[in-house]
mmCIF file of all heavy atoms in Angstrom:
data_model
loop_
_atom_site.group_PDB
_atom_site.id
_atom_site.type_symbol
_atom_site.label_atom_id
_atom_site.label_comp_id
_atom_site.label_asym_id
_atom_site.label_seq_id
_atom_site.Cartn_x
_atom_site.Cartn_y
_atom_site.Cartn_z
ATOM 1 N N SER B 1 24.927 111.130 54.880
ATOM 2 C CA SER B 1 25.913 111.895 54.114
ATOM 3 C C SER B 1 25.290 113.232 53.713
ATOM 4 O O SER B 1 24.249 113.268 53.070
ATOM 5 C CB SER B 1 26.326 111.109 52.863
ATOM 6 O OG SER B 1 27.149 111.872 52.025
ATOM 7 N N ILE B 2 25.953 114.333 54.081
ATOM 8 C CA ILE B 2 25.428 115.680 53.800
ATOM 9 C C ILE B 2 26.392 116.421 52.871
ATOM 10 O O ILE B 2 27.595 116.484 53.142
ATOM 11 C CB ILE B 2 25.259 116.495 55.104
ATOM 12 C CG1 ILE B 2 24.335 115.750 56.080
ATOM 13 C CG2 ILE B 2 24.715 117.890 54.815
ATOM 14 C CD1 ILE B 2 24.331 116.341 57.483
ATOM 15 N N GLY B 3 25.875 116.976 51.799
ATOM 16 C CA GLY B 3 26.694 117.763 50.885
ATOM 17 C C GLY B 3 27.181 119.033 51.561
ATOM 18 O O GLY B 3 26.496 119.591 52.423
ATOM 19 N N ASN B 4 28.357 119.513 51.166
ATOM 20 C CA ASN B 4 28.961 120.653 51.871
ATOM 21 C C ASN B 4 28.661 122.006 51.225
ATOM 22 O O ASN B 4 29.374 122.979 51.448
ATOM 23 C CB ASN B 4 30.483 120.472 51.979
ATOM 24 C CG ASN B 4 31.181 120.590 50.624
ATOM 25 O OD1 ASN B 4 30.548 120.473 49.570
ATOM 26 N ND2 ASN B 4 32.480 120.816 50.640
ATOM 27 N N GLY B 5 27.576 122.086 50.447
ATOM 28 C CA GLY B 5 27.221 123.350 49.789
ATOM 29 C C GLY B 5 26.350 124.232 50.667
ATOM 30 O O GLY B 5 26.441 124.213 51.903
ATOM 31 N N THR B 6 25.477 125.002 50.026
ATOM 32 C CA THR B 6 24.575 125.917 50.728
ATOM 33 C C THR B 6 23.751 125.177 51.781
ATOM 34 O O THR B 6 23.232 124.089 51.520
ATOM 35 C CB THR B 6 23.618 126.578 49.714
ATOM 36 O OG1 THR B 6 24.398 127.238 48.722
ATOM 37 C CG2 THR B 6 22.714 127.586 50.389
ATOM 38 N N ALA B 7 23.664 125.744 52.963
ATOM 39 C CA ALA B 7 22.883 125.209 54.097
ATOM 40 C C ALA B 7 23.464 123.924 54.666
ATOM 41 O O ALA B 7 22.793 123.208 55.417
ATOM 42 C CB ALA B 7 21.425 124.976 53.694
ATOM 43 N N SER B 8 24.720 123.638 54.373
ATOM 44 C CA SER B 8 25.331 122.394 54.858
ATOM 45 C C SER B 8 25.436 122.356 56.380
ATOM 46 O O SER B 8 24.991 121.396 57.019
ATOM 47 C CB SER B 8 26.722 122.225 54.244
ATOM 48 O OG SER B 8 27.376 121.108 54.800
ATOM 49 N N ARG B 9 26.021 123.423 56.978
ATOM 50 C CA ARG B 9 26.201 123.408 58.432
ATOM 51 C C ARG B 9 24.861 123.397 59.148
ATOM 52 O O ARG B 9 24.676 122.694 60.150
ATOM 53 C CB ARG B 9 27.012 124.639 58.892
ATOM 54 C CG ARG B 9 28.459 124.640 58.466
ATOM 55 C CD ARG B 9 29.214 123.380 58.867
ATOM 56 N NE ARG B 9 29.265 123.123 60.282
ATOM 57 C CZ ARG B 9 30.106 123.706 61.136
ATOM 58 N NH1 ARG B 9 30.949 124.600 60.714
ATOM 59 N NH2 ARG B 9 30.103 123.376 62.411
ATOM 60 N N GLU B 10 23.910 124.172 58.643
ATOM 61 C CA GLU B 10 22.584 124.224 59.257
ATOM 62 C C GLU B 10 21.919 122.843 59.218
ATOM 63 O O GLU B 10 21.271 122.417 60.189
ATOM 64 C CB GLU B 10 21.706 125.253 58.534
ATOM 65 C CG GLU B 10 22.120 126.697 58.745
ATOM 66 C CD GLU B 10 23.256 127.143 57.838
ATOM 67 O OE1 GLU B 10 23.774 126.316 57.054
ATOM 68 O OE2 GLU B 10 23.647 128.319 57.906
ATOM 69 N N THR B 11 22.120 122.155 58.094
ATOM 70 C CA THR B 11 21.535 120.816 57.955
ATOM 71 C C THR B 11 22.225 119.823 58.880
ATOM 72 O O THR B 11 21.577 118.957 59.490
ATOM 73 C CB THR B 11 21.634 120.338 56.487
ATOM 74 O OG1 THR B 11 21.006 121.303 55.643
ATOM 75 C CG2 THR B 11 20.965 118.987 56.298
ATOM 76 N N GLU B 12 23.545 119.955 59.005
ATOM 77 C CA GLU B 12 24.292 119.078 59.912
ATOM 78 C C GLU B 12 23.809 119.266 61.350
ATOM 79 O O GLU B 12 23.566 118.282 62.076
ATOM 80 C CB GLU B 12 25.792 119.377 59.808
ATOM 81 C CG GLU B 12 26.646 118.477 60.695
ATOM 82 C CD GLU B 12 28.104 118.916 60.738
ATOM 83 O OE1 GLU B 12 28.442 119.971 60.167
ATOM 84 O OE2 GLU B 12 28.903 118.203 61.382
ATOM 85 N N PHE B 13 23.653 120.523 61.781
ATOM 86 C CA PHE B 13 23.170 120.793 63.146
ATOM 87 C C PHE B 13 21.763 120.224 63.351
ATOM 88 O O PHE B 13 21.444 119.656 64.400
ATOM 89 C CB PHE B 13 23.163 122.299 63.425
ATOM 90 C CG PHE B 13 24.534 122.916 63.436
ATOM 91 C CD1 PHE B 13 24.743 124.180 62.906
ATOM 92 C CD2 PHE B 13 25.617 122.236 63.965
ATOM 93 C CE1 PHE B 13 26.001 124.756 62.917
ATOM 94 C CE2 PHE B 13 26.881 122.797 63.980
ATOM 95 C CZ PHE B 13 27.078 124.064 63.447
ATOM 96 N N PHE B 14 20.925 120.389 62.323
ATOM 97 C CA PHE B 14 19.554 119.881 62.381
ATOM 98 C C PHE B 14 19.550 118.360 62.552
ATOM 99 O O PHE B 14 18.836 117.810 63.414
ATOM 100 C CB PHE B 14 18.803 120.285 61.108
ATOM 101 C CG PHE B 14 17.610 119.446 60.797
ATOM 102 C CD1 PHE B 14 16.441 119.550 61.538
ATOM 103 C CD2 PHE B 14 17.639 118.509 59.754
ATOM 104 C CE1 PHE B 14 15.343 118.760 61.258
ATOM 105 C CE2 PHE B 14 16.555 117.724 59.474
ATOM 106 C CZ PHE B 14 15.392 117.841 60.221
ATOM 107 N N ILE B 15 20.364 117.661 61.754
ATOM 108 C CA ILE B 15 20.416 116.187 61.813
ATOM 109 C C ILE B 15 20.897 115.723 63.189
ATOM 110 O O ILE B 15 20.379 114.749 63.761
ATOM 111 C CB ILE B 15 21.327 115.628 60.693
ATOM 112 C CG1 ILE B 15 20.684 115.823 59.315
ATOM 113 C CG2 ILE B 15 21.668 114.158 60.929
ATOM 114 C CD1 ILE B 15 19.412 115.015 59.098
ATOM 115 N N LYS B 16 21.876 116.424 63.742
ATOM 116 C CA LYS B 16 22.456 115.990 65.013
ATOM 117 C C LYS B 16 21.525 116.239 66.205
ATOM 118 O O LYS B 16 21.778 115.745 67.309
ATOM 119 C CB LYS B 16 23.806 116.672 65.223
ATOM 120 C CG LYS B 16 24.888 116.101 64.309
ATOM 121 C CD LYS B 16 26.254 116.725 64.540
ATOM 122 C CE LYS B 16 27.302 116.044 63.673
ATOM 123 N NZ LYS B 16 28.645 116.645 63.852
ATOM 124 N N LYS B 17 20.451 116.975 65.976
ATOM 125 C CA LYS B 17 19.453 117.178 67.038
ATOM 126 C C LYS B 17 18.463 116.016 67.119
ATOM 127 O O LYS B 17 17.742 115.874 68.103
ATOM 128 C CB LYS B 17 18.662 118.466 66.768
ATOM 129 C CG LYS B 17 19.449 119.750 66.987
ATOM 130 C CD LYS B 17 18.570 120.955 66.640
ATOM 131 C CE LYS B 17 19.334 122.260 66.743
ATOM 132 N NZ LYS B 17 18.494 123.406 66.280
ATOM 133 N N ILE B 18 18.420 115.205 66.060
ATOM 134 C CA ILE B 18 17.422 114.124 66.000
ATOM 135 C C ILE B 18 17.840 112.965 66.911
ATOM 136 O O ILE B 18 18.990 112.508 66.876
ATOM 137 C CB ILE B 18 17.257 113.617 64.548
ATOM 138 C CG1 ILE B 18 16.835 114.782 63.629
ATOM 139 C CG2 ILE B 18 16.235 112.486 64.477
ATOM 140 C CD1 ILE B 18 16.793 114.416 62.151
ATOM 141 N N ALA B 19 16.918 112.486 67.698
ATOM 142 C CA ALA B 19 17.178 111.355 68.592
ATOM 143 C C ALA B 19 16.856 110.065 67.843
ATOM 144 O O ALA B 19 15.700 109.635 67.764
ATOM 145 C CB ALA B 19 16.324 111.464 69.849
ATOM 146 N N PHE B 20 17.864 109.446 67.273
ATOM 147 C CA PHE B 20 17.665 108.194 66.528
ATOM 148 C C PHE B 20 17.609 107.013 67.492
ATOM 149 O O PHE B 20 18.112 107.086 68.630
ATOM 150 C CB PHE B 20 18.799 107.989 65.516
ATOM 151 C CG PHE B 20 18.815 109.005 64.403
ATOM 152 C CD1 PHE B 20 19.807 109.982 64.336
ATOM 153 C CD2 PHE B 20 17.837 108.987 63.422
ATOM 154 C CE1 PHE B 20 19.829 110.912 63.315
ATOM 155 C CE2 PHE B 20 17.851 109.919 62.389
ATOM 156 C CZ PHE B 20 18.842 110.887 62.337
ATOM 157 N N ASP B 21 17.025 105.922 67.031
ATOM 158 C CA ASP B 21 16.893 104.725 67.870
ATOM 159 C C ASP B 21 18.196 103.940 67.954
ATOM 160 O O ASP B 21 18.310 102.998 68.753
ATOM 161 C CB ASP B 21 15.802 103.798 67.299
ATOM 162 C CG ASP B 21 14.432 104.459 67.340
ATOM 163 O OD1 ASP B 21 14.256 105.372 68.174
ATOM 164 O OD2 ASP B 21 13.564 104.085 66.520
ATOM 165 N N LYS B 22 19.170 104.297 67.119
ATOM 166 C CA LYS B 22 20.466 103.608 67.109
ATOM 167 C C LYS B 22 21.531 104.631 66.717
ATOM 168 O O LYS B 22 21.218 105.688 66.169
ATOM 169 C CB LYS B 22 20.441 102.452 66.104
ATOM 170 C CG LYS B 22 20.129 102.903 64.678
ATOM 171 C CD LYS B 22 20.053 101.733 63.718
ATOM 172 C CE LYS B 22 19.717 102.226 62.303
ATOM 173 N NZ LYS B 22 19.635 101.133 61.336
ATOM 174 N N PRO B 23 22.813 104.337 66.975
ATOM 175 C CA PRO B 23 23.874 105.282 66.597
ATOM 176 C C PRO B 23 23.944 105.443 65.069
ATOM 177 O O PRO B 23 23.949 104.448 64.336
ATOM 178 C CB PRO B 23 25.154 104.614 67.126
ATOM 179 C CG PRO B 23 24.686 103.629 68.146
ATOM 180 C CD PRO B 23 23.338 103.157 67.692
ATOM 181 N N ILE B 24 23.958 106.673 64.626
ATOM 182 C CA ILE B 24 24.049 106.971 63.193
ATOM 183 C C ILE B 24 25.252 107.898 62.961
ATOM 184 O O ILE B 24 25.334 108.969 63.568
ATOM 185 C CB ILE B 24 22.778 107.669 62.669
ATOM 186 C CG1 ILE B 24 21.543 106.771 62.844
ATOM 187 C CG2 ILE B 24 22.940 108.095 61.212
ATOM 188 C CD1 ILE B 24 21.502 105.573 61.918
ATOM 189 N N GLN B 25 26.171 107.460 62.109
ATOM 190 C CA GLN B 25 27.311 108.310 61.770
ATOM 191 C C GLN B 25 26.863 109.392 60.783
ATOM 192 O O GLN B 25 26.083 109.113 59.864
ATOM 193 C CB GLN B 25 28.429 107.488 61.130
ATOM 194 C CG GLN B 25 29.197 106.605 62.110
ATOM 195 C CD GLN B 25 30.340 105.888 61.418
ATOM 196 O OE1 GLN B 25 30.140 105.158 60.446
ATOM 197 N NE2 GLN B 25 31.549 106.094 61.903
ATOM 198 N N VAL B 26 27.366 110.607 60.986
ATOM 199 C CA VAL B 26 27.027 111.714 60.092
ATOM 200 C C VAL B 26 28.309 112.260 59.457
ATOM 201 O O VAL B 26 29.247 112.637 60.165
ATOM 202 C CB VAL B 26 26.302 112.846 60.852
ATOM 203 C CG1 VAL B 26 25.977 113.987 59.897
ATOM 204 C CG2 VAL B 26 25.038 112.317 61.521
ATOM 205 N N PHE B 27 28.360 112.277 58.125
ATOM 206 C CA PHE B 27 29.513 112.782 57.377
ATOM 207 C C PHE B 27 29.101 113.986 56.543
ATOM 208 O O PHE B 27 28.006 114.003 55.975
ATOM 209 C CB PHE B 27 30.049 111.713 56.412
ATOM 210 C CG PHE B 27 30.710 110.539 57.076
ATOM 211 C CD1 PHE B 27 29.951 109.488 57.578
ATOM 212 C CD2 PHE B 27 32.087 110.477 57.191
ATOM 213 C CE1 PHE B 27 30.548 108.392 58.174
ATOM 214 C CE2 PHE B 27 32.699 109.385 57.798
ATOM 215 C CZ PHE B 27 31.934 108.337 58.289
ATOM 216 N N VAL B 28 29.989 114.963 56.453
ATOM 217 C CA VAL B 28 29.816 116.066 55.493
ATOM 218 C C VAL B 28 30.802 115.797 54.362
ATOM 219 O O VAL B 28 32.007 115.667 54.606
ATOM 220 C CB VAL B 28 30.095 117.434 56.140
ATOM 221 C CG1 VAL B 28 30.011 118.536 55.093
ATOM 222 C CG2 VAL B 28 29.108 117.697 57.267
ATOM 223 N N VAL B 29 30.304 115.676 53.140
ATOM 224 C CA VAL B 29 31.173 115.331 52.005
ATOM 225 C C VAL B 29 31.157 116.436 50.953
ATOM 226 O O VAL B 29 30.189 117.191 50.842
ATOM 227 C CB VAL B 29 30.751 113.993 51.351
ATOM 228 C CG1 VAL B 29 30.763 112.867 52.353
ATOM 229 C CG2 VAL B 29 29.370 114.109 50.713
ATOM 230 N N SER B 30 32.222 116.498 50.202
ATOM 231 C CA SER B 30 32.305 117.488 49.127
ATOM 232 C C SER B 30 31.293 117.153 48.044
ATOM 233 O O SER B 30 31.185 116.009 47.609
ATOM 234 C CB SER B 30 33.708 117.493 48.517
ATOM 235 O OG SER B 30 33.731 118.262 47.331
ATOM 236 N N GLU B 31 30.536 118.186 47.627
ATOM 237 C CA GLU B 31 29.582 117.948 46.550
ATOM 238 C C GLU B 31 30.081 118.546 45.227
ATOM 239 O O GLU B 31 29.312 118.703 44.282
ATOM 240 C CB GLU B 31 28.214 118.525 46.910
ATOM 241 C CG GLU B 31 28.209 120.005 47.190
ATOM 242 C CD GLU B 31 26.820 120.510 47.574
ATOM 243 O OE1 GLU B 31 26.172 119.892 48.459
ATOM 244 O OE2 GLU B 31 26.378 121.506 46.986
ATOM 245 N N ALA B 32 31.393 118.882 45.173
ATOM 246 C CA ALA B 32 31.966 119.432 43.942
ATOM 247 C C ALA B 32 31.738 118.474 42.785
ATOM 248 O O ALA B 32 32.059 117.285 42.869
ATOM 249 C CB ALA B 32 33.463 119.688 44.126
ATOM 250 N N GLY B 33 31.144 118.983 41.718
ATOM 251 C CA GLY B 33 30.913 118.157 40.533
ATOM 252 C C GLY B 33 29.608 117.393 40.545
ATOM 253 O O GLY B 33 29.224 116.801 39.536
ATOM 254 N N ALA B 34 28.889 117.413 41.676
ATOM 255 C CA ALA B 34 27.633 116.651 41.756
ATOM 256 C C ALA B 34 26.600 117.195 40.776
ATOM 257 O O ALA B 34 25.854 116.441 40.141
ATOM 258 C CB ALA B 34 27.081 116.684 43.183
ATOM 259 N N SER B 35 26.562 118.522 40.639
ATOM 260 C CA SER B 35 25.598 119.124 39.707
ATOM 261 C C SER B 35 25.966 118.810 38.262
ATOM 262 O O SER B 35 25.092 118.652 37.408
ATOM 263 C CB SER B 35 25.542 120.637 39.917
ATOM 264 O OG SER B 35 26.803 121.225 39.696
ATOM 265 N N VAL B 36 27.278 118.717 37.987
ATOM 266 C CA VAL B 36 27.733 118.351 36.637
ATOM 267 C C VAL B 36 27.303 116.923 36.326
ATOM 268 O O VAL B 36 26.787 116.625 35.249
ATOM 269 C CB VAL B 36 29.268 118.493 36.514
ATOM 270 C CG1 VAL B 36 29.760 117.977 35.166
ATOM 271 C CG2 VAL B 36 29.675 119.948 36.708
ATOM 272 N N TYR B 37 27.522 116.025 37.302
ATOM 273 C CA TYR B 37 27.103 114.635 37.118
ATOM 274 C C TYR B 37 25.591 114.546 36.921
ATOM 275 O O TYR B 37 25.108 113.841 36.024
ATOM 276 C CB TYR B 37 27.510 113.793 38.334
ATOM 277 C CG TYR B 37 26.732 112.501 38.441
ATOM 278 C CD1 TYR B 37 27.029 111.423 37.615
ATOM 279 C CD2 TYR B 37 25.658 112.379 39.325
ATOM 280 C CE1 TYR B 37 26.284 110.248 37.688
ATOM 281 C CE2 TYR B 37 24.915 111.217 39.408
ATOM 282 C CZ TYR B 37 25.233 110.153 38.577
ATOM 283 O OH TYR B 37 24.486 109.004 38.634
#
């Protein structure tokens, strides 16, 4: 799960380059309010 704030797309591209040993789902989620929490 990747937060959709600063550097989100870059991080998503980086994660999708990794060759995992098994299928891993990658989601981009809203991080609105995470800093408040």
Side-chain angles (χ1 to χ4, degrees):
S1 173
I2 303 169
N4 69 342
T6 303
S8 174
R9 291 306 300 280
E10 291 82 358
T11 304
E12 182 188 5
F13 295 142
F14 159 73
I15 290 294
K16 287 182 176 179
K17 288 178 184 175
I18 302 174
F20 294 109
D21 296 336
K22 59 182 179 180
I24 299 289
Q25 286 183 303
V26 179
F27 291 82
V28 176
V29 303
S30 169
E31 59 181 49
S35 60
V36 174
Y37 161 76

